[in-house]
Amino acid sequence: MMTEPTKYLLDENAIPAAWYNLQADLPSPPPPVLHPGTLQPVGPDDLAPLFPMALIGQEVSTEREIEIPAPVRDAYRAWRPTPLYRARRLEQALDTPARIYYKYEGVSPTGSHKPNTAVAQAFYNKEAGVARLATETGAGQWGSSLAYAAALFGLEVKVYMVRVSFDQKPYRKAMMETYGATCIASPSEETNAGRAVLAEHPDSTGSLGIAIGEAVEDAATREDTKYSLGSVLNHVLMHQSVIGREALAQFELANDYPDIIVGCTGGGSNFSGIAFPFIGEKLRGGRDVRVVAVEPAACPSLTRGRYAYDFGDTANLTPLVKMHTLGSAFVPSGFHAGGLRYHGMAPLVSHCVELDLVEPTAYTQIECFEAGVLFSRAESIIPAPEANHAVKGAVVEALRCKEEGVSRAILFNLCGHGHFDMQAYTDYFAGNLAVEHYDESEVAMALAGLPAVA
Ligand SMILES: *Cc1c(COP(=O)(O)O)cnc(C)c1O
């Protein structure tokens, strides 16, 4: 008897030869990045203390395709191409006519999509003669991914890890140390940015904005060190395009095409990785696709933030970028999807929302864990708490198909597994997860502090 396939696999030769750059196909360019002092667009020289020139070039490139260097493609072979699954058992559990697919990025060495850019960034820094990288990490996925990539290319790494996750996820620190990196809790006593926060809030649980400020300061004040960011920036989003490019090829194998794409958004990189290659097809006259971005109700930059120029960090050291933001002074509550606790959103994702290419939605963590547990029991893989937001978004769309009696193809990005996050599941089962909504008055205060840009 013929059985229907549950996964679509590509061989290593099908790893994309180039990254896809959405900037080539957008009907209008995103607003420029501004220097915080002069409020003029930044030039390459302004960014040179922080990034190697190759990455600065990618940041502003409007080329459609940028070739993936051979050493990076070779590193990708360790886990790419990643599988595309058809979630047949989830479809049955939901009794939906929808065809649900998910791209699984949890097969990477560190269990998420993050190595797709970590390997590229480590490569370009090594090529530029950099000896050491400073970075921040939320839940620890980025820190462990950069530690892994730096070990591949022989670089030192210092990771500033958001305090709440540092305490909740000790194994992530152990993983970074295993790969040879140093990891400390942020805010720390080691930088001016960290000391300033601790002076005012000695019990600060930290935030990505604070940790970014510490890592940027570290890199800016040391000759041998550059800064590395795991999300938000254009070049990071572009490196993640291998996800969507592979998915396009896998949908050809499946003889299908997504009607709806769903991803979770923290800084926007895994979402962009799966969605931008499909949005590019649409912008070049190809098939239409609805694209849904799911964010946590406790940190809803896209659905409740303001589209404005803001700093990327709390210490206000970074250039100004136009994005959906809750204000760089906003410190989100300590909910479990640590990777989604960022006050802003990638400028390119924000721009896509303004252009109506992307629909944002927000769900609470309890709703997302409920969906994640349903998914685990049907599909076997236990998603990261961040990925549960994408699962929730896909389930909502599948149930809508059932209500309307139509079969649509839904693709979502299962951006990572939850093996380091089982405490979050324990808390969920014990009924200890709060329904966290963000604090309106704190956001109002943080937004009142936005930099004045005409
Ligand atoms: C870091 C991370 C996120 C959030 O970052 P994005 O740039 O929005 O993708 C989401 N999921 C996982 C598993 C992560 O590691």
Side-chain angles (χ1 to χ4, degrees):
M1 194 182 109
M2 283 280 284
T3 46
E4 299 288 333
T6 54
K7 56 183 182 305
Y8 299 93
L9 301 175
L10 300 170
D11 74 44
E12 285 175 31
N13 296 320
I15 294 172
W19 291 299
Y20 168 68
N21 182 9
L22 181 67
Q23 298 209 60
D25 291 315
L26 284 174
S28 64
V33 174
L34 302 182
H35 188 284
T38 64
L39 301 187
Q40 294 303 306
V42 295
D45 291 346
D46 295 313
L47 299 173
L50 295 182
F51 304 104
M53 272 304 160
L55 291 177
I56 294 172
Q58 291 181 4
E59 191 62 21
V60 296
S61 172
T62 52
E63 297 277 309
R64 182 170 292 123
E65 298 208 329
I66 291 181
E67 191 185 332
I68 302 175
V72 175
R73 235 169 143 252
D74 275 346
Y76 282 170
R77 286 175 204 277
W79 75 98
R80 306 212 68 87
T82 61
L84 177 79
Y85 285 94
R86 171 82 185 265
R88 295 191 188 273
R89 286 175 48 99
L90 180 64
E91 292 168 14
Q92 276 168 22
L94 294 171
D95 188 26
T96 173
R99 310 183 302 285
I100 307 175
Y101 297 83
Y102 58 96
K103 182 81 166 148
Y104 184 42
E105 291 293 308
V107 295
S108 84
T110 56
S112 77
H113 64 286
K114 296 246 168 51
N116 295 332
T117 185
V119 164
Q121 292 189 43
F123 167 78
Y124 287 116
N125 275 286
K126 181 68 181 183
E127 241 201 356
V130 174
R132 181 176 173 275
L133 294 173
T135 196
E136 75 297 322
T137 194
Q141 290 112 326
W142 171 244
S144 48
S145 300
L146 192 66
Y148 153 72
L152 276 184
F153 292 101
L155 293 162
E156 262 184 75
V157 178
K158 172 78 166 270
V159 181
Y160 295 85
M161 183 169 185
V162 176
R163 163 64 70 182
V164 59
S165 299
F166 186 88
D167 294 334
Q168 278 174 354
K169 295 174 183 176
Y171 294 151
R172 279 287 174 187
K173 173 173 184 257
M175 200 168 172
M176 292 176 225
E177 288 171 346
T178 303
Y179 286 124
T182 308
C183 171
I184 62 168
S186 165
S188 80
E189 291 286 353
E190 297 189 19
T191 64
N192 289 327
R195 285 187 293 268
V197 175
L198 288 174
E200 231 183 293
H201 306 283
D203 298 327
S204 171
T205 53
S207 70
L208 274 173
I210 295 169
I212 290 172
E214 291 206 89
V216 167
E217 180 182 328
D218 181 323
T221 53
R222 280 185 60 153
E223 195 58 43
D224 65 344
T225 301
K226 295 252 184 267
Y227 171 64
S228 181
L229 186 61
S231 185
V232 178
L233 298 176
N234 300 340
H235 67 265
V236 178
L237 273 47
M238 189 187 72
H239 297 156
Q240 294 296 349
S241 67
V242 288
I243 304 171
R245 293 206 117 176
E246 286 176 9
L248 273 164
Q250 286 161 315
F251 268 91
E252 271 183 40
L253 285 182
N255 205 12
D256 205 345
Y257 198 85
D259 298 298
I260 304 167
I261 298 177
V262 183
C264 69
T265 48
S269 76
N270 90 83
F271 167 81
S272 304
I274 194 142
F276 282 5
F278 288 91
I279 293 176
E281 292 286 316
K282 166 174 160 169
L283 290 172
R284 294 192 304 276
R287 287 187 56 165
D288 194 16
V289 61
R290 257 186 74 214
V291 181
V292 179
V294 184
E295 63 183 8
C299 192
S301 52
L302 279 177
T303 52
R304 310 297 290 266
R306 189 176 301 164
Y307 186 52
Y309 273 101
D310 196 7
F311 292 97
D313 69 318
T314 308
N316 295 357
L317 295 172
T318 68
L320 294 171
V321 292
K322 192 155 187 189
M323 61 182 174
H324 289 87
T325 179
L326 297 167
S328 66
F330 179 69
V331 177
S333 61
F335 62 92
H336 270 294
L340 306 183
R341 300 172 75 239
Y342 184 59
H343 68 269
M345 183 53 58
L348 269 180
V349 174
S350 288
H351 189 57
C352 283
V353 169
E354 292 299 302
L355 294 173
D356 290 325
L357 293 168
V358 169
E359 297 170 32
T361 54
Y363 296 108
T364 64
Q365 60 173 347
I366 292 179
E367 296 172 291
C368 295
F369 271 92
E370 201 175 5
V373 169
L374 173 78
F375 177 86
S376 302
R377 291 176 186 174
E379 294 293 320
S380 320
I381 298 168
I382 301 178
E386 293 86 357
N388 283 342
H389 291 72
V391 175
K392 171 67 183 174
V395 167
V396 166
E397 293 300 334
L399 292 176
R400 197 195 314 272
C401 287
K402 179 177 173 177
E403 224 176 83
E404 297 174 4
V406 284
S407 172
R408 300 186 185 99
I410 300 166
L411 166 64
F412 73 92
N413 196 29
L414 190 62
C415 49
H417 67 63
H419 299 178
F420 290 90
D421 306 289
M422 295 317 294
Q423 185 60 46
Y425 282 85
T426 302
D427 291 348
Y428 170 70
F429 291 123
N432 289 339
L433 287 190
V435 181
E436 285 159 312
H437 288 286
Y438 76 120
D439 189 324
E440 300 246 4
S441 58
E442 271 192 32
V443 170
M445 243 162 61
L447 288 178
L450 284 180
V453 179

